Amino acid sequence: MKITLLGTGDVRQVPVYGCDCEACYRARIDVSYVRRPCSALLESAGGRLLLDGGLSDLCQRFKPGDLDAILLTHYHVDHVQGLFHLRWGLGPTIPVFGPEDQNGCADLLKHPGMLAFQPPLNAFESIYFGDLQLTPLPLQHSKPTFGYLLREGDHSIAYLTDTVGLPPETEAYLKQHTPDLLVVDCSHPPTEIPPRNHNDLNMALAIHHSLQPGKTVLTHISHELDAMFAQKLIELPAGVYLAEDQMGWSLDCGGLRRDWRMGALIG
Ligand SMILES: [Zn+2]
Ligand SMILES: [Zn+2]
Ligand SMILES: [Zn+2]
């Protein structure tokens, strides 16, 4: 199976409109530094799954029939805003899975168009796409939010955004099922004040040290944190990587490896 990080920014993205910090300035002159809304594409024998629908150009990126399902972590705008356009398209319906959230986001659940919202998933109850096993894991955030453990054969990827720390039962589950690759929320620079809805760097690294995955990728990056990396003020421990849009990782009998960044960037 293979995961491609389609977007790695926080809700404000990079560049932030009107900001001239080092990260925003750099992203404005070189598109390879742009951070789009946090999302990923998972490709496996079981199909092609889009993890979150926050990209505004979903209709350009994917042809009808390209996606077998969409998996939502939660209903914050930066994770669903691309669905508001996609839903009015034509072609085969796309099943959408996610957590129970009566409020959802605006009228998305009331007027789903070509999106087929499935009954809400239950924590720790796996669903399957062919041989791909997908287990919803509760996270700590300001809306009901699931991370997902994606397993195929002996390999697994944990995709955990948005969250501040981990609920004890999710941490215990992931200690029992150590992922080869952990993709985790790391929105804020290291801070003394405990963050409310997203990990800062210290909390993200604490999760890495607690779970001891094969490798960890930090995502949902704010421009403030990105600027610290741009200025080389932060060095990450071995095995921990800063996400970039279009960064890909493959997991197969050859183990876990980082792919070259995929193709041309869109937008
Ligand atoms: Zn978010
Ligand atoms: Zn900025
Ligand atoms: Zn959120």
Side-chain angles (χ1 to χ4, degrees):
M1 81 181 141
K2 175 177 158 179
I3 189 166
T4 306
L5 305 177
L6 302 178
T8 61
D10 73 349
V11 64
R12 302 177 78 183
Q13 307 180 40
V14 179
V16 173
Y17 181 71
C19 181
D20 281 322
C21 80
E22 192 133 350
C24 292
Y25 176 77
R26 183 178 68 169
R28 218 167 271 124
I29 56 172
D30 182 348
V31 70
S32 68
Y33 289 108
V34 165
R35 294 187 183 276
R36 294 172 180 79
C38 196
S39 53
L41 180 68
L42 188 88
E43 294 168 278
S44 79
R48 282 160 62 90
L49 302 187
L50 179 66
L51 281 162
D52 278 336
L55 291 168
S56 56
D57 60 357
L58 292 176
C59 299
Q60 284 80 51
R61 284 179 188 248
F62 301 105
K63 294 194 298 293
D66 268 2
L67 293 173
D68 295 297
I70 298 174
L71 201 60
L72 299 178
T73 58
H74 64 305
Y75 285 89
H76 271 153
V77 174
D78 54 322
H79 297 260
V80 296
Q81 62 202 359
L83 305 183
F84 284 83
H85 181 207
L86 179 66
R87 63 177 162 168
W88 301 127
L90 303 174
T93 56
I94 307 173
V96 182
F97 297 86
E100 168 90 64
D101 187 341
Q102 300 280 328
N103 299 321
C105 183
D107 66 349
L108 201 52
L109 301 176
K110 206 164 145 203
H111 301 292
M114 70 184 291
L115 303 174
F117 285 91
Q118 306 295 306
L121 300 176
N122 295 314
F124 304 109
E125 287 182 17
S126 300
I127 57 170
Y128 293 84
F129 293 89
D131 290 337
L132 179 69
Q133 181 185 3
L134 205 146
T135 310
L137 307 172
L139 299 180
Q140 290 172 164
H141 195 46
S142 53
K143 255 186 172 300
T145 304
F146 280 147
Y148 293 99
L149 184 62
L150 310 152
R151 279 178 277 197
E152 193 179 53
D154 298 335
H155 299 297
S156 63
I157 298 170
Y159 187 84
L160 309 180
T161 185
D162 300 5
T163 194
V164 56
L166 291 179
E169 62 274 23
T170 293
E171 186 169 0
Y173 187 90
L174 287 169
K175 280 183 156 179
Q176 275 174 16
H177 305 91
T178 308
D180 297 281
L181 181 69
L182 167 69
V183 182
V184 67
D185 182 325
C186 182
S187 296
H188 304 302
T191 170
E192 304 273 300
I193 311 151
R196 281 180 47 216
N197 288 318
H198 293 280
N199 289 329
D200 71 345
L201 180 65
N202 295 331
M203 296 185 89
L205 292 180
I207 293 172
H208 167 76
H209 291 306
S210 164
L211 303 184
Q212 303 196 359
K215 295 205 179 336
T216 291
V217 174
L218 309 177
T219 192
H220 209 277
I221 307 292
S222 66
H223 72 133
E224 291 99 342
L225 180 58
D226 208 12
M228 292 184 75
F229 280 105
Q231 295 168 74
K232 304 203 184 321
L233 297 175
I234 295 173
E235 207 171 309
L236 293 175
V240 181
Y241 300 78
L242 180 67
E244 299 163 9
D245 283 24
Q246 297 299 121
M247 175 189 265
W249 294 84
S250 292
L251 264 166
D252 51 31
C253 48
L256 173 67
R257 64 176 185 278
R258 185 174 167 179
D259 298 330
W260 292 104
R261 289 174 78 172
M262 302 292 117
L265 297 167
I266 299 173

